[in-house]
Amino acid sequence: FSSSKMVDPTLAEMGKNLNEAMKMLEDNQRKEEENEKRYTRKDIPGPLQGSGQDMVSILQLVQNLMHGEEEEESSQAYRLQNVGEQGHMALLGHSLAAYISVLDRERLRKLTTRILSDTTLWLCRLFRYENGSAYYHEDDREGLLKICRLVIHTRYEDYTVEGFNVLYTKQPVIYISSAARMGLGQALCNQLGLPLSCMCRVPCNTMFGSQHQMDVALLDRLIKDDAESGKLPLLLVANAGKCWTPGAGHTDKLGRLKELCEQYNMWLHVEGVNLATLALGYVSSSVLAATKCDSMTLTLGSWLGLPAVPAVTLYRHEDPSLSLAAGLTSSQPVEKLRALPLWLSLQYLGHDGIVERIKHASQLSQRLLENLKNLDFIKTSVEDELSSPVVVFKFFQEYANRDQTPHAAPTSALQHPRISNERHVYDTFNQWLGEQLAQLVPASGVDVVELEDEGTCVRFSPLMTSAVLGTEIQDVDQLVDCLKMKIPVLTSTLQLREEFEQEVKRTVGLVYIEDLSWPGLGVVRYSYHSDGKNDDKQEKELEKINTELLKKLNDLESDLSFSLGPEFGGEKNCVYIGMVTEDLDVSELVETIAATGREIEENSRLLENMTEVVRKGIQEAQLQLQKANEERLLEEGLLRQIPVVSSVLNWFSPFQASPKGRTFNLTAGSLESTESTYVSKAQGTGTTPPPTPTSSLAKQRLPGQKIFKRSLRSSDAFSETSSVSHCDDLEKMEQRPPVLSPGHEQGRPETGTKEQQQAATLLAATESDTVPSDKSLSVCMQAEEQGSHR
């Protein structure tokens, strides 16, 4: 900032003079202190060295830290683009709060009081919570924590003086649902300094009613037992559509729970994503009962797509001193500035904008729920609450040969391994389904959740994601279309898993690996036949064969996915097969895997044997060459070994010696004479190598049909198209003129085109015996001769 923009010219001139004076002093002392502080300056991080950085450099550093060296991913960039102007208003609120905090105390008090009172009044009117107070907090659990402190101060009159002594004489009890978010009870006990025995988890209904709602009758008995044992029932935490994991969108029976709390003088606190629907014109009776509770927590940031705005806990209490003691209110004006970002954002959106965002999210969930009810093999978890903005669904298919009855108790699954395995398989398939949908339709914001009774499910909660991601109706329709494409793949894979397992177990050389956490057809391993090798060498051979097997399978032109499995937790030296379609020929697939594995193993053994044979052959060739040299020495005589004499002797009486050589046949593994080669002037064919093992199921395929595919009996269109194309090919072959060999053309008129005659000639030449064969690989090692005899 330049000094010309200062309001007071005297302060500007003073600052300028002070800056020049300090600069002169620093210049005089810099040379004297340079040597003394040289070592210390090296320890200072780079950005702090020297006289500081300018604003542009600092902001550039912040930008690099935010985005990194590489470009932002598409999903992250999409999130930032949809922050919008209302998000900028929320971010501006944080800067204004820091700026306002430097005002004088009286002006700051008036401003913060106005901001806090306006925001609290607006929220109470929007969410039908009359005569309430508000506490603004960053952590969404902090509001409940402060409420617990308020209730402790209210129920224990001497708590301010005696502290934990009054809690020890009469232990407080806090009740939460078993379907509440994980770690909530432990976090409350840790912050309040209470033992975990003060936390009571209330089970949900298991025999009657919803599987996700708190069991009111059981809660009544628990409260009576605690009261009779000398404990103090203090507070109950209820859910109105859980917006945290696990979130199934169910609302507890708030009206009945409120009556129970009034009976035992307990505090009722409600939290959940369904509380957002209180701002709509029509509210279901189950959610409307939340307006009668003692406190509720609202997470407006995710509902309205506002970044960095605080959560709000609305509560009713008559004693301001106890609220101050619990930390719900503060005498510091700066603390009240937490509401400033929300104050600005609510004014920017207005009543219509707030209601429209919440209404749009509810319409998205209702549209998805209506489409899911028309899909087979899809089970929804929220069926009794049509107004719930959370949709939870899963893929589910009954086995035809299931042994247990549908009314079996959930605990019986522990006694039936088959039922337990089915649960794991469905969890794996739904995990894959959720990840695929999130990847294909990122604007939908779907994620995967784990429910205690339902297992792994896919959750669509537009109230938590649509404002940030900009989810529209077409995104929901695209999500349904992608789901329709994935359902046949899931059903086909689930049906063929057992057939694949049986085929692998019947095939020699293959081992079936049961991995319930793999979303696909199954896992197979080629078993290496060891010949007395140690475990380490056998493990290396097994890894080598299965790695090569995976490579060859991926080189095939098929629609299947072969991989090494998950990065963590997968079996080693295995081939993992992904999702498949219903036209998969399982028997051909298994036979191809076994045949390919045998081929790789035999080639590996052939290479090992060939190495040994070549080594022995080289040793034998060296011995024979040495023996041939000795025989040549005896045959030529001693005189021919003398340099000068041998030249004169060879000139008068040339020595005629037949060339002797050896050829090494790799296939036969033996040394042979090259005499036949010199006589016939051609290299012999040798022994034909053994044929390469291949699959016995190499069958004729229809045009365009890929490997491992079979014709579906129910697909009439595919069969008709294939038969027509096959008949057309037969007609073309019948109309084609016959091709005659050169021997048959003698004495006959020429028939066919010129190209056909050339093809016939080439075919005849290829089938004749005059073409030399190069099937055998041989190495000729000639005997060493004198230069004059070559």
Side-chain angles (χ1 to χ4, degrees):
F1 300 97
S2 61
S3 59
S4 61
K5 295 182 180 180
M6 295 290 293
V7 178
D8 193 342
T10 304
L11 293 177
E13 186 68 21
M14 184 183 301
K16 180 180 180 181
N17 296 334
L18 180 61
N19 186 22
E20 293 178 356
M22 294 300 297
K23 184 178 180 181
M24 292 174 61
L25 293 176
E26 290 178 357
D27 291 340
N28 294 331
Q29 296 178 358
R30 183 174 294 112
K31 295 181 179 180
E32 299 177 358
E33 298 176 354
E34 184 176 8
N35 296 330
E36 298 178 0
K37 297 184 178 181
R38 181 176 301 174
Y39 180 77
T40 306
R41 290 181 183 274
K42 290 182 179 179
D43 294 339
I44 298 177
L48 296 183
Q49 292 180 2
S51 58
Q53 306 291 330
D54 56 359
M55 182 64 67
V56 177
S57 300
I58 296 175
L59 292 179
Q60 184 67 36
L61 176 61
V62 174
Q63 181 179 353
N64 294 337
L65 294 176
M66 290 175 58
H67 301 285
E69 297 180 358
E70 299 179 356
E71 296 182 356
E72 282 287 322
E73 297 180 359
S74 58
S75 61
Q76 297 294 333
Y78 190 75
R79 285 177 177 267
L80 294 176
Q81 291 175 1
N82 284 275
V83 170
E85 294 185 5
Q86 77 280 357
H88 295 165
M89 294 297 296
L91 299 177
L92 177 62
H94 290 274
S95 300
L96 288 177
Y99 178 74
I100 293 174
S101 63
V102 302
L103 296 177
D104 60 273
R105 188 174 184 83
E106 182 61 24
R107 187 170 298 183
L108 178 61
R109 185 186 62 81
K110 293 181 180 180
L111 181 59
T112 54
T113 302
R114 172 65 184 274
I115 294 173
L116 189 63
S117 60
D118 286 352
T119 310
T120 302
L121 178 62
W122 297 339
L123 293 176
C124 289
R125 293 290 178 84
L126 279 172
F127 295 96
R128 310 181 186 220
Y129 198 82
E130 298 297 333
N131 301 324
S133 302
Y135 172 65
Y136 303 90
H137 47 93
E138 302 298 333
D139 189 356
D140 49 21
R141 297 177 299 182
E142 187 179 354
L144 177 58
L145 175 63
K146 301 294 186 181
I147 291 296
C148 291
R149 295 187 186 276
L150 174 62
V151 179
I152 291 177
H153 279 86
T154 304
R155 299 296 302 275
Y156 294 92
E157 298 180 358
D158 300 333
Y159 178 74
T160 305
V161 180
E162 298 294 334
F164 72 93
N165 289 328
V166 295
L167 302 180
Y168 178 76
T169 57
K170 199 169 187 178
Q171 180 178 340
V173 182
I174 301 175
Y175 303 89
I176 63 174
S177 173
S178 59
R181 45 181 165 165
M182 300 298 295
L184 178 60
Q186 185 176 2
L188 291 177
C189 289
N190 293 338
Q191 295 295 326
L192 296 172
L194 299 176
L196 292 179
S197 59
C198 294
M199 192 63 55
C200 178
R201 297 183 66 88
V202 183
C204 295
N205 290 336
T206 55
M207 299 299 295
F208 306 99
S210 174
Q211 300 293 324
H212 302 274
Q213 292 180 339
M214 195 182 303
D215 193 335
V216 181
L218 181 57
L219 174 62
D220 190 5
R221 292 195 299 268
L222 292 174
I223 296 175
K224 287 182 180 179
D225 294 341
D226 291 336
E228 293 175 358
S229 62
K231 298 180 180 180
L232 180 62
L234 194 68
L235 181 140
L236 172 64
V237 182
N239 294 315
K242 298 171 287 297
C243 54
W244 297 276
T245 303
H250 294 273
T251 301
D252 290 326
K253 300 175 182 178
L254 300 180
R256 181 71 181 92
L257 294 178
K258 179 58 180 176
E259 297 176 358
L260 194 63
C261 289
E262 291 178 349
Q263 177 182 351
Y264 292 99
N265 194 19
M266 294 174 54
W267 186 284
L268 177 60
H269 178 82
V270 182
E271 59 183 19
V273 69
N274 286 356
L275 295 177
T277 59
L278 290 173
L280 302 179
Y282 171 77
V283 186
S284 62
S285 58
S286 59
V287 180
L288 189 61
T291 59
K292 304 299 181 182
C293 65
D294 298 298
S295 61
M296 65 169 63
T297 298
L298 310 175
T299 55
L300 297 171
S302 57
W303 298 350
L304 304 178
L306 303 176
V309 298
V312 185
T313 296
L314 303 178
Y315 65 97
R316 296 188 183 98
H317 200 267
E318 298 178 356
D319 194 345
S321 61
L322 294 182
S323 299
L324 181 61
L328 289 169
T329 58
S330 175
S331 59
Q332 298 296 327
V334 180
E335 295 290 334
K336 300 178 182 179
L337 290 175
R338 290 181 179 177
L340 182 56
L342 197 55
W343 184 74
L344 295 174
S345 301
L346 293 178
Q347 291 184 82
Y348 181 85
L349 291 174
H351 177 268
D352 295 340
I354 296 172
V355 174
E356 182 62 28
R357 284 177 178 266
I358 299 176
K359 183 179 179 180
H360 176 68
S362 300
Q363 291 175 349
L364 293 177
S365 61
Q366 293 306 312
R367 186 177 185 89
L368 178 62
L369 186 60
E370 293 174 359
N371 285 279
L372 292 181
K373 290 184 177 181
N374 299 326
L375 296 181
D376 296 331
F377 310 113
I378 294 297
K379 177 181 178 183
T380 57
S381 299
V382 185
E383 298 180 355
D384 55 338
E385 301 180 23
L386 297 178
S387 61
S388 174
V390 181
V391 179
V392 178
F393 60 94
K394 63 179 296 186
F395 166 75
F396 184 78
Q397 180 183 9
E398 289 284 350
Y399 278 98
N401 55 352
R402 178 171 291 188
D403 298 331
Q404 84 275 16
T405 59
H407 303 287
T411 56
S412 62
L414 299 177
Q415 302 175 0
H416 297 277
R418 178 181 177 85
I419 303 175
S420 178
N421 292 346
E422 290 179 8
R423 170 70 179 266
H424 286 294
V425 171
Y426 277 117
D427 289 346
T428 301
F429 276 39
N430 283 283
Q431 177 77 27
W432 178 84
L433 177 61
E435 294 174 354
Q436 289 290 312
L437 295 177
Q439 182 179 0
L440 294 174
V441 193
S444 64
V446 295
D447 59 350
V448 180
V449 294
E450 296 287 342
L451 301 182
E452 184 176 357
D453 53 345
E454 297 288 345
T456 304
C457 300
V458 183
R459 177 178 60 182
F460 176 67
S461 182
L463 259 176
M464 303 297 293
T465 59
S466 63
V468 176
L469 299 177
T471 310
E472 299 294 340
I473 294 295
Q474 54 267 24
D475 297 322
V476 177
D477 296 338
Q478 183 182 0
L479 181 66
V480 176
D481 294 338
C482 293
L483 185 59
K484 291 180 180 179
M485 291 189 301
K486 297 300 179 182
I487 289 178
V489 178
L490 291 169
T491 55
S492 302
T493 306
L494 189 63
Q495 293 173 356
L496 295 176
R497 279 175 67 98
E498 186 174 356
E499 180 182 352
F500 176 76
E501 178 181 355
Q502 299 300 327
E503 286 289 341
V504 171
K505 290 182 178 179
R506 287 195 296 262
T507 305
V508 179
L510 297 183
V511 178
Y512 180 79
I513 305 299
E514 185 176 15
D515 191 350
L516 301 178
S517 61
W518 172 248
L521 183 64
V523 186
V524 64
R525 173 188 295 154
Y526 184 81
S527 178
Y528 179 73
H529 302 287
S530 60
D531 298 333
K533 300 181 180 179
N534 54 29
D535 296 338
D536 295 338
K537 188 173 183 180
Q538 183 178 353
E539 185 71 18
K540 292 181 180 180
E541 293 292 340
L542 182 63
E543 179 181 1
K544 181 180 179 182
I545 292 177
N546 283 276
T547 302
E548 185 67 20
L549 174 61
L550 176 63
K551 181 180 179 181
K552 286 185 176 295
L553 291 176
N554 283 322
D555 292 340
L556 298 176
E557 295 182 359
S558 66
D559 295 333
L560 300 183
S561 173
F562 302 96
S563 64
L564 293 174
E567 183 179 359
F568 303 101
E571 294 284 342
K572 295 182 178 180
N573 304 327
C574 296
V575 176
Y576 285 75
I577 306 174
M579 293 289 176
V580 298
T581 55
E582 60 179 342
D583 57 349
L584 173 68
D585 194 333
V586 178
S587 59
E588 181 184 1
L589 171 62
V590 175
E591 179 65 22
T592 302
I593 295 175
T596 307
R598 289 193 298 267
E599 176 185 350
I600 297 173
E601 181 182 0
E602 293 182 6
N603 290 340
S604 176
R605 290 187 175 182
L606 179 62
L607 182 60
E608 292 180 359
N609 296 337
M610 186 179 299
T611 304
E612 183 66 21
V613 168
V614 169
R615 187 182 65 82
K616 294 181 178 179
I618 292 175
Q619 295 177 356
E620 184 178 355
Q622 291 177 349
L623 295 177
Q624 293 192 12
L625 288 176
Q626 183 179 1
K627 184 178 180 181
N629 289 333
E630 295 177 355
E631 293 178 354
R632 182 176 57 82
L633 181 61
L634 296 176
E635 185 178 359
E636 293 178 357
L638 181 60
L639 293 178
R640 293 185 183 273
Q641 309 304 320
I642 302 175
V644 179
V645 178
S646 61
S647 301
V648 177
L649 187 60
N650 289 332
W651 183 73
F652 284 104
S653 176
F655 180 78
Q656 300 294 333
S658 60
K660 297 180 180 180
R662 299 290 187 271
T663 177
F664 181 67
N665 194 326
L666 292 177
T667 305
S670 60
L671 285 172
E672 300 176 356
S673 176
T674 57
E675 184 178 357
S676 58
T677 304
Y678 288 101
V679 172
S680 61
K681 306 299 181 180
Q683 185 177 343
T685 59
T687 308
T688 303
T692 303
T694 57
S695 174
S696 60
L697 296 177
K699 56 186 180 181
Q700 185 178 3
R701 302 185 182 280
L702 297 176
Q705 184 179 2
K706 292 188 177 182
I707 191 173
F708 308 138
K709 298 293 183 179
R710 56 181 173 82
S711 301
L712 298 178
R713 298 178 180 177
S714 59
S715 180
D716 297 335
F718 182 82
S719 300
E720 292 177 359
T721 305
S722 302
S723 60
V724 170
S725 60
H726 185 62
C727 293
D728 294 341
D729 294 339
L730 292 178
E731 292 178 0
K732 294 179 180 178
M733 294 177 62
E734 292 176 357
Q735 297 174 2
R736 185 178 302 167
V739 179
L740 301 178
S741 61
H744 294 158
E745 292 178 356
Q746 298 177 1
R748 296 187 181 183
E750 295 183 356
T751 58
T753 62
K754 182 178 180 181
E755 290 80 1
Q756 293 175 350
Q757 295 176 4
Q758 294 177 354
T761 305
L762 179 61
L763 178 62
T766 305
E767 295 178 351
S768 64
D769 296 332
T770 59
V771 179
S773 174
D774 57 350
K775 295 183 179 179
S776 62
L777 178 63
S778 61
V779 181
C780 291
M781 296 175 288
Q782 299 293 338
E784 189 175 342
E785 300 289 344
Q786 295 292 337
S788 59
H789 294 172
R790 293 178 181 175

